[in-house]
């Protein structure tokens, strides 16, 4: 990716170390406040078009600290998985590239919010999962800490769910799904396109060869 190489040479010093850990600590704190102190916090940190247009600009940053609203055990499982995936990508890419990936996802969420009226950070974390599965497809993990499964199959299952939601959802759902994985598309879109193109070309060549063989 030549464009990010150029950005890194010029602005690499602005990378934020341990960005994933910062996001997760913020989500834990926000969850604690929402659950035990003041649940109205969620209405002040989430993305909403009306809020942004009324001057509540802090929402373009605070929405990434909005935690999953779930019980403590489910929250810990979710954040643990995000920690594992996010830190692995941060180590592989470096602080600056990981920051760019998150910022692209945030920009996509904000654009989705302006179009549909609301937005969330869930697509950003889903795109991190897609990126991990794309980069390390054969790595085996324990699903629910019990069942061994390769990342490529988990990524494929998540992709199927994404496609089904896209096909069955309304306009706002489609917009949020597309912009939610903006980081993944920017980082890996060209690579995915080339692989799909090569697979189609190989398939056509194999079929042409089979037809020629059958004619003899």
């Amino acid at each position: 990716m030549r464009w990010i190489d150029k950005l890194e040479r010029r602005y690499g010093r602005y990378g934020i170390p341990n960005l994933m850990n910062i996001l997760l600590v913020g989500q834990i704190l926000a969850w604690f406040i929402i659950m035990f102190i003041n649940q109205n916090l969620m209405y002040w940190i989430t993305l909403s078009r009306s809020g942004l247009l009324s001057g509540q600009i802090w929402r373009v940053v605070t929405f990434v600290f909005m935690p999953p609203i779930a019980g403590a055990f489910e929250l810990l499982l979710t954040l643990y998985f995000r920690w594992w995936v996010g830190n692995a990508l941060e180590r592989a890419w470096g602080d600056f590239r990981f920051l760019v990936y998150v910022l692209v996802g945030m920009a996509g969420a904000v654009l989705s919010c302006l179009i549909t009226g609301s937005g969330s950070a869930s697509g950003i974390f889903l795109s991190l999962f897609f990126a991990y599965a794309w980069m390390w497809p054969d790595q085996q993990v324990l699903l629910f800490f019990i069942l061994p499964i390769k990342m490529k199959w988990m990524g494929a299952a998540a992709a199927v769910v994404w496609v089904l939601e896209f096909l069955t959802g309304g306009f706002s759902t489609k917009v949020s799904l597309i912009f939610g994985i903006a980081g993944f598309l920017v980082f890996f879109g060209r690579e995915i396109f080339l692989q799909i193109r090569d697979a189609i070309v190989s398939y056509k060549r194999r079929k042409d060869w089979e037809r020629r063989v059958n004619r003899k």
Side-chain angles (χ1 to χ4, degrees):
M1 294 179 288
R2 295 180 179 178
W3 63 272
I4 198 169
D5 292 335
K6 294 178 179 178
L7 283 178
E8 189 168 21
R9 284 194 295 269
R10 180 170 295 186
Y11 304 109
R13 62 185 180 277
Y14 296 114
I16 302 176
N18 300 311
L19 175 59
M20 193 66 200
N21 294 336
I22 294 172
L23 295 177
L24 296 181
V25 169
Q27 290 182 11
I28 292 173
L29 292 175
W31 180 87
F32 182 84
I33 294 172
I34 291 169
M35 297 298 292
F36 300 107
I37 300 176
N38 187 351
Q39 67 178 13
N40 290 326
L41 176 68
M42 73 171 68
Y43 303 113
W44 283 96
I45 65 174
T46 53
L47 271 179
S48 73
R49 182 170 58 196
S50 59
L52 292 175
L53 295 180
S54 65
Q56 299 170 3
I57 304 301
W58 64 81
R59 294 177 183 268
V60 301
V61 175
T62 58
F63 80 96
V64 295
F65 297 106
M66 180 64 193
I69 301 302
F73 181 71
E74 184 181 349
L75 175 76
L76 290 176
L77 283 179
T78 301
L79 296 188
Y80 169 76
F81 196 70
R82 289 179 178 180
W83 171 83
W84 176 52
V85 168
N87 278 278
L89 291 172
E90 196 167 0
R91 287 192 299 269
W93 289 338
D95 298 334
F96 179 76
R97 289 178 183 240
F98 187 76
L99 173 63
V100 171
Y101 191 96
V102 172
L103 288 178
V104 171
M106 291 173 66
V110 171
L111 286 174
S112 173
C113 172
L114 293 175
I115 295 172
T116 65
S118 63
S120 74
S122 60
I124 299 174
F125 297 104
L126 177 62
S127 73
L128 290 174
F129 174 75
F130 283 152
Y132 190 100
W134 183 262
M135 293 177 64
W136 299 292
D138 293 319
Q139 181 169 339
Q140 188 168 276
V141 298
L142 293 178
L143 183 63
F144 305 120
F145 301 103
I146 301 174
L147 302 174
I149 186 173
K150 289 186 176 181
M151 284 299 301
K152 61 183 176 183
W153 301 123
M154 293 183 66
V160 168
V161 173
W162 188 95
V163 171
L164 290 176
E165 289 184 0
F166 181 85
L167 294 176
T168 58
F171 173 73
S172 61
T173 299
K174 288 179 170 60
V175 171
S176 63
L177 285 171
I178 292 174
F179 282 105
I181 59 170
F184 181 74
L185 295 177
V186 169
F187 270 59
F188 299 101
R190 185 174 184 274
E191 185 178 344
I192 294 172
F193 170 79
L194 292 176
Q195 288 202 15
I196 293 174
R197 186 195 63 183
D198 292 343
I200 293 174
V201 170
S202 297
Y203 175 80
K204 289 181 177 179
R205 286 176 178 172
R206 185 172 64 253
K207 287 298 181 181
D208 290 341
W209 179 82
E210 291 175 353
R211 282 195 293 267
R212 289 195 296 269
V213 171
N214 292 332
R215 288 173 185 171
K216 295 181 181 179

